[in-house]
Amino acid sequence: MHGARPTIGDVARAAGVSKGTVSLAYSGKRPVAEETRRRIFAAAESLRWTASSSAQALATSRTSTIGLVIARRPEIIATDTFFPRFIAGCEAVLAEAGMGLMLNVVADDDAETAAYERYAAGRVDGVILLDVEQGDRRPDLVRELGLTAVILSAEAPHEEEPVDTPVTPVVYTEDAAAVGELVELLVDAGHSSIAHVSGPLRYVHAAARRDAFAAAMTRHGLLPDRIVEGDFTAASGRDATAALLDGDDHPTAIVYANDVMAIAGLSYARSSGLRIPEDLSVTGFDDSELSAHLSPGLTSVSTGADVRGAVAARTLLAALGGDAHRSVLVDGTVVVRRGSIAPPSQP
């Protein structure tokens, strides 16, 4: 309408950012990239918009809420025990601090970006980034949006960020050592033909486990040439196992990147007439509750998902209070030995 007063939304659209980023640029409460700030100010000047106190308050007010966006298919979240355990750990810490957790499950990158933009518009005080991908865009995205963040990873950060870049804490576990121990258990049992069913290799934690498997095999003088990429679902575990067991020269042991795939693979192997562990040894990862109640019990890796959630929440609260640490190691990854490993049967 002609003569209507411009709004913060008009400025955001003109500058190609969210309303939260506009308010942050004016409040100075959290850093906004200089190029983005100049674009916002130029848009505001062209529209003759002046920041109001309420617009600035959008960025400076505390909501007592932490945001968590999960970009996974619902069936994966429903069957993977990591997520409820991790969330429970977060909630325990946040409840003590009088805060809550806002959860969004999204289907694609656009929905994920929109969720973070809503968060930046004043819905949360900070965010936890899960399922970090190779070359992940989200650290830069949340930094540009002015959101304080903590990253959960399966390995320590490799490089220091530039000194003029705000610190984004990384909470990490050492998955590599646990995978190496699994391979060592299998080698000590007499296995030399060992396969790996990985998670999606775009994820840092899936690639870290794959790389650890390959390195452990190489240390023992074995070829890491039987690696099949799954997607953490039971269906992919079954399909990957079927592919590995096709033919006479199949592996005598399989290391799976999570328990869901391992349990499905174990079931398929049994339906194919193989005995577990006499004909095929299997190991999982994440130590789901069901793993202890299988027959035989599944050797797996306990990652302390609830502890990781608690540490991630505490680290984020510290960062919000101005006490940001570059990295925090969660020391709780333990191999849980059960009955799914045995010496390979003789031909």
Side-chain angles (χ1 to χ4, degrees), residues 64-307:
S64 296
T65 304
I66 298 303
L68 179 64
V69 180
I70 300 178
R72 292 278 195 111
R73 300 201 307 273
E75 62 268 27
I76 296 178
I77 298 173
T79 57
D80 194 329
T81 59
F82 170 82
F83 294 105
R85 289 177 176 179
F86 179 83
I87 290 170
C90 290
E91 288 278 21
V93 170
L94 296 176
E96 289 179 358
M99 300 181 70
L101 183 72
M102 179 178 290
L103 173 66
N104 285 82
V105 177
V106 298
D108 54 41
D109 286 351
D110 289 342
E112 186 177 53
T113 299
Y116 286 118
E117 288 179 341
R118 289 194 300 272
Y119 286 172
R123 294 193 177 186
V124 303
D125 297 322
V127 295
I128 298 172
L129 304 182
L130 292 180
D131 286 338
V132 178
E133 299 187 7
Q134 312 284 352
D136 203 309
R137 67 192 179 90
R138 292 175 300 163
D140 288 340
L141 171 65
V142 297
R143 187 178 294 124
E144 181 176 327
L145 291 172
L147 286 166
T148 301
V150 163
I151 298 170
L152 187 76
S153 185
E155 58 184 11
H158 295 299
E159 300 178 359
E160 292 292 337
E161 293 178 323
V163 294
D164 59 344
T165 301
V167 172
T168 302
V170 176
V171 173
Y172 70 98
T173 54
E174 293 184 335
D175 288 4
V179 174
E181 186 176 342
L182 291 175
V183 172
E184 186 170 349
L185 287 174
L186 291 166
V187 171
D188 288 347
H191 293 275
S192 59
S193 180
I194 307 171
H196 177 54
V197 177
S198 77
L201 294 176
R202 69 179 184 276
Y203 292 131
V204 168
H205 63 288
R209 294 172 193 176
R210 186 275 312 272
D211 292 346
F213 170 80
M217 292 285 285
T218 301
R219 283 196 303 272
H220 288 284
L222 302 174
L223 288 176
D225 57 353
R226 297 191 177 192
I227 298 175
V228 179
E229 184 176 359
D231 65 5
F232 288 135
T233 64
S236 76
R238 179 182 176 86
D239 291 345
T241 305
L244 288 168
L245 298 181
D246 184 29
D248 295 331
D249 185 29
H250 62 73
T252 60
I254 304 177
V255 175
Y256 294 85
N258 78 345
D259 282 4
V260 172
M261 294 192 297
I263 292 169
L266 184 155
S267 176
Y268 176 83
R270 275 186 165 166
S271 70
S272 300
L274 296 180
R275 298 169 299 163
I276 308 296
E278 292 85 357
D279 299 324
L280 181 70
S281 291
V282 298
T283 68
F285 208 102
D286 286 336
D287 194 31
S288 64
E289 183 177 358
L290 181 59
S291 298
H293 301 284
L294 298 173
S295 181
L298 178 66
T299 294
S300 189
V301 177
S302 173
T303 60
D306 55 340
V307 177

